[in-house]
Amino acid sequence: MKLSDLKTGERGIIVKVLGHGGFRKRIIEMGFVKGKTVEVLLNAPLQDPVKYKLMGYEVSLRHQEADQIEVVSEFLENGQQSYEIHQGHEDDFLQHVALRERRTIHVALVGNPNCGKTSLFNYASGAHAHVGNYSGVTVDATEAHTEMFGYEFLLTDLPGTYSLSCYSPEELYVREHLANKMPDVVINVIDASNLERNLYLTTQLVDMNVRTVCALNMFDEFERRGDTVNIAMLSSLFGIPMIPTSFKSGRGVKALFRTAIQAYEDKQGTTRHLHINYGHEIEQGISHIQQFLKADEHIRQRYSTRYLAIKLLEHDSHVLQYVGQHLTEENMTAQRRQLLLARDMADARVREEMGSDSETAIMDAKYGFINGALKEAGYKTGTKEDTYRTTHIIDHILSHKIWGLPIFFAILFIMFHTTFALGQYPMDWIESGVAWFGDWVGQILPQGPLRSMLVEGVIGGVGSVIIFLPQILILYSFISLMEDSGYMARAAFIMDRLMHKIGLHGKSFIPLVMGFGCNVPAVMATRTIESRRSRLITMMILPFMSCSARLPIYIMIIGTFFATQYRSWIMLSLYAIGILLSVIVSKVFTTFVFKGEDTPFVMELPPYRWPTTKAIVRHTWEKGKEYLKKMGGIILVASILVWALGYFPHNDSLTIQQQQEQSYIGRMGKIVEPLFAPQGFNWKLDVSLIAGIGAKEIVASTIGVLYSGDNSFSDDDSFADGEDSWKYTHLHQLMQADGITIPVAYAYLLFVLIYFPCLATVVAIKNETGSWRWALFSALYTTTLAWIISAIAKLLLSLVL
């Protein structure tokens, strides 16, 4: 709780002092030190000021200042004593509680994309945040906790960013988090193999005057290449302790957190506040602007006034807006005018003397400071086993301007072929287990609704989806390998020229690639795209990316209707058509709907790194767990609902086919059946598509439920070819009897590929655009396009086959 929350007569133990710079120093000098007891003597009716007793003397603080001091009190908000304390030991107990609270350290992880922040986050906390070797993975802040050396660390993994400017959502998000959340310590993760570029962000943390500890990550690669640097000297020059680490092996992690504790407790000898010298004219401008900023107490508490002055000289629009809102209300217009005048005068002097604007001059000064520090610290690059040299050799093949794209699709083909071939064996075992369990339940239960619900609804619905778990795991292991190794960044590079040709931002390919996993986080990932135009178009075409939820449907229908040697090609065709459609639709949008040119984009290509087996297994299992959770959640509920609609009203005198047709779900299907006559879908397929609006896996479970009750072909082996499981053969017999042919099956696959995104994706689009208009447009136009393309496909295939 905050000191400002204590009422008159209540006492508390000081846990920590928040705030910033000079304000925090003044509060501590007044005696508000960690571990000291403070008592409220008088709480003024208007809250300001409040009189406190501290260290034997009385002192008054304004409510706004008291709000920056965390305390532990023996009372809760309702006035009840929060702990049972033995009489005479109240102070000892409060000291114990305060010590425990004081040993909780809030840590923010900050760094460039691909520097290893999320790897540290996962290694230290045991969390399983996704690590991708390309930018844009961490879209939002991820939180976890860990314990070391008697302290609890609350870790926040912030989005990767190259600077703390206002040019991208990531930069603003990180900057706002550091200012508003005020973490106790910032761990700046640095890619040691690229010190000069990574230290630019460090200089901005120096300007912000936040407690910082640097992790020189990938130091094993740094040493293997033969690079050298005097770490103690570099730490001293930046005023920030720097610890060599390697998060793959865990090297330096304990030393890093031990140093973070020392920085938090103000016992780190290297830590010191320094000012990077930006030259006479800029420094004079900074001092002049600071005079106006220091006049506002709110600004002084939250930010370093020097940092804000630098940002104003860089013409940072968000800082200007913030400062304008928090200047003293009286004469605000005049103060703002004077502030802008001071900035413009400083900028004009810089242009006169240096021939460039102040933003460029500040940037040059930062890199000058970095280069000088590295030279002073004896930084030299080696020539041994250069990671990038190996990368260049591999890239010469995989990213070739002619062969790059065919290799990309060849890798996709191998991935799908392995998914089918290798996944068939465990799939058969699971299928046999599901069939045995269904038979066993059917034998021990008497005929009736309960038996029907369990056998046809639960086991038939959930079982028809869960058997595809092996293929899901195999596919995700491939995707994880491509992402963690750095190849996915190359795929984005290969597609970059195509993205520009269709009028899209090159950065749009990253969310599109993520869409193959799940469209929801992919939609969220579009916020990393600076251009609103590209962001909207990317969201509109994302549903064409075949997410993992569609895989059970693909595998079920492809395995049922297509011979083994064609299955990988059919699967690849669906992904290719999705990509092709996204290209065509994007071109239409950029030409007729969202006109205009886009901003340039530089795609970072990190070196290839072979991921650890542990990381691949962990990422794969995380996806498997999500899949299993769906089985026990939405898929189970949907399966029971579909069974109930297909079972009632029930009439034992009818055949299974007649019963289904006269049930509630049969009537619903018959109503919409004419809409899909051009595609040749029967009412069962129609119902499954409607059910898939909630989640695409429900499509497969619905088919499983609707066809599980019909066992008229169960003893007929005429369709068995010695390769397929009984499930595929049996389902083929049932669906063929319903008039479903290969052209109809492929048209159905195309419809599933293109139509209505799941509800979660629609809501995500609404949240990212701030409007239901775009979300509903996405749902309507994709469904219309799905109807047209599937109808055309069925017609053409019927003429050929």
Side-chain angles (χ1 to χ4, degrees), residues 668-669 672 676 683-695 698-699 702 751 755:
M668 291 167 53
V672 299
F676 297 99
W683 68 267
K684 294 179 182 178
L685 296 185
D686 299 341
V687 167
S688 69
L689 293 173
I690 296 172
I693 290 174
I698 300 177
V699 174
T702 301
F751 198 95
Y755 91 115

Side-chain angles (χ1 to χ4, degrees), residues 361-407:
I362 290 171
M363 187 182 302
D364 290 342
K366 284 184 184 295
Y367 276 113
F369 174 81
I370 293 169
N371 290 329
L374 289 175
K375 187 174 182 179
E376 187 75 17
Y379 174 64
K380 293 181 180 179
T381 57
T383 57
K384 300 177 185 175
E385 197 183 328
D386 187 354
T387 303
Y388 279 94
R389 185 170 60 186
T390 305
T391 293
H392 294 156
I393 295 172
I394 299 173
D395 267 344
H396 188 69
I397 301 171
L398 297 184
S399 302
H400 193 272
K401 62 180 181 180
I402 297 175
W403 304 112
L405 201 57
I407 289 174

Side-chain angles (χ1 to χ4, degrees), residues 651-718:
N651 188 340
D652 288 329
S653 64
L654 299 177
T655 64
I656 293 175
Q657 186 72 19
Q658 292 172 333
Q659 167 63 37
Q660 285 186 335
E661 290 182 357
Q662 65 87 44
S663 67
Y664 294 126
I665 201 168
R667 295 171 189 174
M668 291 167 53
K670 291 293 183 181
I671 292 173
V672 299
E673 192 172 25
L675 290 175
F676 297 99
Q679 289 83 0
F681 301 163
N682 63 10
W683 68 267
K684 294 179 182 178
L685 296 185
D686 299 341
V687 167
S688 69
L689 293 173
I690 296 172
I693 290 174
K696 290 296 178 283
E697 293 96 338
I698 300 177
V699 174
S701 67
T702 301
I703 293 175
V705 171
L706 293 177
Y707 282 101
S708 65
D710 191 344
N711 57 3
S712 55
F713 293 96
S714 59
D715 297 324
D716 184 1
D717 295 330
S718 58

Side-chain angles (χ1 to χ4, degrees), residues 290-298 300 305 327-328 335:
Q290 277 185 282
Q291 295 176 9
F292 299 97
L293 298 176
K294 287 179 178 179
D296 188 276
E297 191 171 359
H298 183 278
R300 287 204 319 270
T305 55
L327 286 173
T328 307
Q335 284 185 323

Side-chain angles (χ1 to χ4, degrees), residues 82-139:
S82 56
Y83 305 99
E84 184 180 347
I85 309 172
H86 295 293
Q87 190 173 3
H89 294 276
E90 293 89 349
D91 288 341
D92 291 341
F93 185 78
L94 279 179
Q95 288 286 351
H96 171 73
V97 175
L99 179 62
R100 186 181 64 193
E101 291 293 325
R102 197 162 65 244
R103 284 178 173 266
T104 300
I105 305 177
H106 294 261
V107 176
L109 304 182
V110 175
N112 289 185
N114 306 313
C115 67
K117 285 185 304 80
T118 307
S119 296
L120 169 62
F121 181 81
N122 288 340
Y123 186 92
S125 66
H128 298 154
H130 180 64
V131 182
N133 199 4
Y134 55 96
S135 61
V137 174
T138 309
V139 178

Side-chain angles (χ1 to χ4, degrees), residues 470-739:
Q471 280 98 334
I472 297 291
L473 296 179
I474 293 171
L475 189 69
Y476 265 110
S477 64
F478 270 101
I479 294 175
S480 178
L481 175 63
M482 288 194 293
E483 289 177 342
D484 294 356
S485 66
Y487 179 70
M488 201 63 86
R490 269 69 190 180
F493 172 76
I494 292 167
M495 300 296 290
D496 184 60
R497 177 175 292 184
L498 175 62
M499 302 303 288
H500 282 293
K501 282 184 179 291
I502 62 176
L504 261 186
H505 202 297
K507 207 170 185 178
S508 296
F509 189 72
I510 295 170
L512 293 178
V513 170
M514 293 179 69
F516 289 122
C518 179
N519 286 168
V520 175
V523 169
M524 295 172 63
T526 59
R527 67 180 66 161
T528 64
I529 304 171
E530 293 85 350
S531 164
R532 175 172 171 79
R533 170 180 174 272
S534 280
R535 200 156 59 240
L536 281 172
I537 297 172
T538 305
M539 279 187 269
M540 291 302 102
I541 64 175
L542 257 173
F544 298 135
M545 302 299 108
S546 291
C547 64
S548 60
R550 294 179 174 97
L551 280 177
I553 315 168
Y554 293 168
I555 296 171
M556 174 184 279
I557 301 300
I558 292 173
T560 299
F561 283 93
F562 297 93
T564 305
Q565 63 268 30
Y566 301 122
R567 290 173 184 171
S568 299
W569 291 106
I570 297 297
M571 180 75 87
L572 183 62
S573 73
L574 294 174
Y575 279 76
I577 289 172
I579 294 171
L580 180 63
L581 274 176
S582 68
V583 170
I584 296 172
V585 172
S586 175
K587 187 63 177 177
V588 171
F589 280 159
T590 54
T591 304
F592 300 105
V593 183
F594 305 96
K595 298 180 181 180
E597 293 296 322
D598 221 325
T599 55
F601 167 67
V602 177
M603 175 79 69
E604 182 189 2
L605 297 177
Y608 287 103
R609 293 186 177 95
W610 190 258
T612 62
T613 304
K614 180 181 178 181
I616 295 176
V617 171
R618 187 175 62 198
H619 298 157
T620 303
W621 175 236
E622 283 299 309
K623 296 300 180 183
K625 282 201 300 185
E626 291 178 14
Y627 190 71
L628 291 174
K629 284 179 182 177
K630 279 190 175 183
M631 297 305 101
I634 186 171
I635 304 302
L636 176 61
V637 173
S639 297
I640 294 175
L641 179 61
V642 170
W643 166 84
L645 291 173
Y647 189 84
F648 298 104
H650 191 70
N651 188 340
D652 288 329
S653 64
L654 299 177
T655 64
I656 293 175
Q657 186 72 19
Q658 292 172 333
Q659 167 63 37
Q660 285 186 335
E661 290 182 357
Q662 65 87 44
S663 67
Y664 294 126
I665 201 168
R667 295 171 189 174
M668 291 167 53
K670 291 293 183 181
I671 292 173
V672 299
E673 192 172 25
L675 290 175
F676 297 99
Q679 289 83 0
F681 301 163
N682 63 10
W683 68 267
K684 294 179 182 178
L685 296 185
D686 299 341
V687 167
S688 69
L689 293 173
I690 296 172
I693 290 174
K696 290 296 178 283
E697 293 96 338
I698 300 177
V699 174
S701 67
T702 301
I703 293 175
V705 171
L706 293 177
Y707 282 101
S708 65
D710 191 344
N711 57 3
S712 55
F713 293 96
S714 59
D715 297 324
D716 184 1
D717 295 330
S718 58
F719 280 84
D721 59 5
E723 296 179 350
D724 287 334
S725 64
W726 175 86
K727 182 79 175 180
Y728 282 159
T729 304
H730 182 60
L731 188 59
H732 182 271
Q733 295 170 343
L734 296 174
M735 297 184 79
Q736 190 179 53
D738 269 354

